[in-house]
Amino acid sequence: MSRAKRPGEFELIARYFRPLAAGKAGALELADDAALIDLPPGRRLVVTADLLTAGVHFLNDDPPDCIARKALRVNLSDLAAMAARPLAYLLTCAFPESVEEAWVAGFAAGLARDQEEFDVVLMGGDTTATPGLLTLSITALGSVEPGRELRRSTAKKGDLIAVSGTIGDAALGLARLQGRLEPLAGDDRLIDRYRLPQPRISLAQQLAAVGLATAALDVSDGLAADLGHICEASGLAATVEAGRLPLSPAARNALEREPKLLEALLTGGDDYELLFTLPAGRRGELAGLPVTVIGHTEEGAGVKVLDPAGKVMALERSGFQHF
Amino acid sequence: MSRAKRPGEFELIARYFRPLAAGKAGALELADDAALIDLPPGRRLVVTADLLTAGVHFLNDDPPDCIARKALRVNLSDLAAMAARPLAYLLTCAFPESVEEAWVAGFAAGLARDQEEFDVVLMGGDTTATPGLLTLSITALGSVEPGRELRRSTAKKGDLIAVSGTIGDAALGLARLQGRLEPLAGDDRLIDRYRLPQPRISLAQQLAAVGLATAALDVSDGLAADLGHICEASGLAATVEAGRLPLSPAARNALEREPKLLEALLTGGDDYELLFTLPAGRRGELAGLPVTVIGHTEEGAGVKVLDPAGKVMALERSGFQHF
């Protein structure tokens, strides 16, 4: 037992989590049973919750500040996918009984840093010790102008399919961390992409403000699988040209060395980029935005990926499933 | 690996969780990245989140429907403590990789039953497999008339202290389940109290509607510890007369057999009764309510418990702390 090594539950909360709720009256200093939240007038509440557990969503020896920030960011990415503006979050943690105070301090420091970056504050939650693995659940609250929210089910036949940033970096970063991939130039950036997603909050709001995106989600299970979700929800098929996939220089190097990696880039998870559809006639409005058109929707069902030679690829796994 | 034994993640969600979101447009059939929630006009959002993990908050072989209902109810109890009316909830689950479909079915059936009982609906969440222990996190959303919310920090000097229902049953029930206590008449009811809390939702709203309660919380860490929370937040001391503690017939039997159990009743957790303060002059308004006055607040700090002979009790542990 390491009980003597660190403060108790209430002290940990007071020392590391209460400061994260400072300045927000409705958080009631995390000392009450629930938080009171006022929505900006005329806006609609948007809520999402994601759970992360050691060995599945992060590695046990990932730095604690990165684990904290990833947990927060995957939730902010879900808000982004709806074009919502983040407001606040709640955090529940099951810390292993052996957790050290320094680890909790690093974890809270990561949250503090991202609270500033994304203008959100901790409004409540729960801390417990577990004989099991580190498990975190975050509920993120945001707001959206009614009618401006982005959905998965509203893509139209003949829409273009676009994606932000670059795809596949996080999957390569994870493969590097797990030793499944030889060292690469630009490794660090790939590992960063795995550990620290960049939720596309402002891009999504920009697209929604002018009604440019017809449907959207964030790429968490892998591009092919997530595009499948849009297709299924919208009752459409999609064709993607793998040759158009936006790749980072490091991913491009990896792919040149090992062309078989293309499938991993298409199906790897953890990108947290914005995948969306738009009317073909409005393609010009993408100019200047960090997005790439990779395909289009059509009548039918399912996702077809064409390789750079124009041949349909047979993807062995279409994306990450937990079971 | 038991992957072949049960459906995958998306099938489990479709089969067992999507029906729990039926009929609520903003839940978007759990198929989108986040949920859209409309508050009743003129009311304020109240949010709370609690995490439950196997071996800490429930026992591994507790029935799955009870585990689900307890996870929901402890959150509804937090809403009750603020006098909020429940609206919806989000659920994140880390299921052990070995979980069987029948277990998940029982778990979802428990949620369905309580959704009906408490008029709430599932609006979102996340399901994952973990190499660790079953861990659940629920975020409950409710609403309150602004200004009518109950707090911990607003007790007044000279207030009476009252508690709903009976105290200590859940602690005895847990002791029975763990074999730390000899069989008792009424065992089953004690075990039920441990497994299935009864959130005091309507009582709290009744007290708040007429401004009778000055401060409140729900008893989860144990009566003595939770009263300590009110005292600390309100800057007051409290005296409780143990002889006035409302006990169930089974708890009374246990106490007669073993007087030392009094401390366990005062410090055991999981009661989920409402503990509140009220002006001494309004005691008469409690008539007909399932509540018992057990003490009063005074200047100072800390909680003093007098035994039935009027002697100050020295409590070895004041309540449950996770670390």
Side-chain angles (χ1 to χ4, degrees), chain B residues 209-244:
Chain B
V210 295
L212 183 52
T214 52
L217 50 59
D218 66 325
V219 181
S220 56
D221 294 331
L223 181 76
D226 284 313
L227 182 53
H229 296 151
I230 288 185
C231 286
E232 203 189 327
S234 299
L236 291 171
T239 297
V240 167
E241 293 172 61
R244 296 188 186 272

Side-chain angles (χ1 to χ4, degrees), chain A residues 3 6-12 28 31-38 44-51 53-54 56-57 78 81-82 90 92-96 99 125-133 135 137 139 141 144 149-152 216-218 221 229 320-323, chain B residues 3 6-12 28 31-38 44-51 53-54 56-57 78 81-82 90 92-96 99 125-133 135 137 139 141 144 149-152 216-218 221 229 320-323:
Chain A
R3 279 170 195 254
R6 57 163 158 62
E9 177 190 5
F10 298 120
E11 286 75 24
L12 279 182
L28 309 174
D32 244 298
D33 289 287
L36 301 167
I37 296 184
D38 292 310
R44 199 169 188 197
L45 180 67
V46 184
V47 189
T48 183
D50 266 331
L51 177 144
T53 191
V56 180
H57 302 89
D78 280 327
M82 307 286 288
L90 288 88
T92 62
C93 320
F95 290 123
V99 73
D126 188 22
T127 303
T128 187
T130 175
L133 300 171
T135 305
S137 182
T139 297
L141 299 106
V144 73
E149 56 269 5
L150 294 177
R151 304 273 313 272
R152 297 178 172 195
L217 50 60
D218 66 326
D221 294 331
H229 296 152
F320 192 79
Q321 280 225 16
H322 285 290
F323 294 103
Chain B
R3 277 168 197 257
R6 58 164 157 63
E9 176 190 2
F10 298 121
E11 286 76 23
L12 279 183
L28 308 174
D32 243 297
D33 290 286
L36 302 167
I37 296 183
D38 292 311
R44 199 170 189 197
L45 180 66
V46 184
V47 189
T48 184
D50 267 331
L51 178 145
T53 191
V56 180
H57 303 89
D78 280 327
M82 307 286 288
L90 290 88
T92 63
C93 320
F95 290 123
V99 72
D126 188 23
T127 303
T128 187
T130 175
L133 301 171
T135 305
S137 182
T139 297
L141 299 105
V144 73
E149 56 271 5
L150 294 178
R151 304 272 314 274
R152 296 178 172 196
L217 50 59
D218 66 325
D221 294 331
H229 296 151
F320 192 79
Q321 281 226 15
H322 286 290
F323 291 103

Side-chain angles (χ1 to χ4, degrees), chain A residues 312-323:
Chain A
V312 175
M313 291 177 69
L315 300 179
E316 275 180 34
R317 69 194 269 282
S318 73
F320 192 79
Q321 280 225 16
H322 285 290
F323 294 103

Side-chain angles (χ1 to χ4, degrees), chain A residues 6-176:
Chain A
R6 57 163 158 62
E9 177 190 5
F10 298 120
E11 286 75 24
L12 279 182
I13 293 173
R15 203 171 290 176
Y16 297 107
F17 294 106
R18 188 155 302 150
L20 298 173
K24 199 83 178 177
L28 309 174
E29 298 185 310
L30 305 185
D32 244 298
D33 289 287
L36 301 167
I37 296 184
D38 292 310
L39 275 192
R43 291 179 71 93
R44 199 169 188 197
L45 180 67
V46 184
V47 189
T48 183
D50 266 331
L51 177 144
L52 289 85
T53 191
V56 180
H57 302 89
F58 52 83
L59 304 177
N60 249 322
D61 52 359
D62 279 345
D65 59 321
C66 283
I67 293 174
R69 296 168 81 190
K70 181 167 187 175
L72 181 54
R73 287 170 178 223
V74 302
N75 279 286
L76 296 180
S77 182
D78 280 327
L79 291 185
M82 307 286 288
R85 187 195 304 158
L87 196 61
Y89 69 102
L90 288 88
L91 165 70
T92 62
C93 320
F95 290 123
E97 281 154 359
S98 61
V99 73
E100 308 261 340
E101 183 173 359
W103 197 97
V104 178
F107 181 83
L111 292 175
R113 197 168 154 184
D114 270 5
Q115 286 196 185
E116 202 156 321
E117 182 154 347
F118 297 103
D119 194 21
V120 288
V121 4
L122 179 65
M123 294 290 276
D126 188 22
T127 303
T128 187
T130 175
L133 300 171
L134 174 64
T135 305
L136 309 166
S137 182
I138 286 187
T139 297
L141 299 106
S143 75
V144 73
E145 193 188 319
R148 285 289 181 210
E149 56 269 5
L150 294 177
R151 304 273 313 272
R152 297 178 172 195
S153 58
T154 41
K156 300 282 171 290
K157 190 177 67 166
D159 276 351
L160 298 177
I161 298 162
V163 68
S164 64
T166 59
I167 285 294
D169 295 331
L172 296 178
L174 175 60
R176 278 293 301 128

Side-chain angles (χ1 to χ4, degrees), chain B residues 79-134:
Chain B
L79 291 185
M82 307 286 288
R85 188 195 304 157
L87 196 62
Y89 69 101
L90 290 88
L91 165 70
T92 63
C93 320
F95 290 123
E97 282 155 357
S98 61
V99 72
E100 308 261 341
E101 182 173 1
W103 197 97
V104 177
F107 181 83
L111 292 174
R113 197 166 153 186
D114 270 5
Q115 286 196 185
E116 203 156 320
E117 182 155 347
F118 298 103
D119 194 22
V120 288
V121 8
L122 178 65
M123 294 290 277
D126 188 23
T127 303
T128 187
T130 175
L133 301 171
L134 174 64

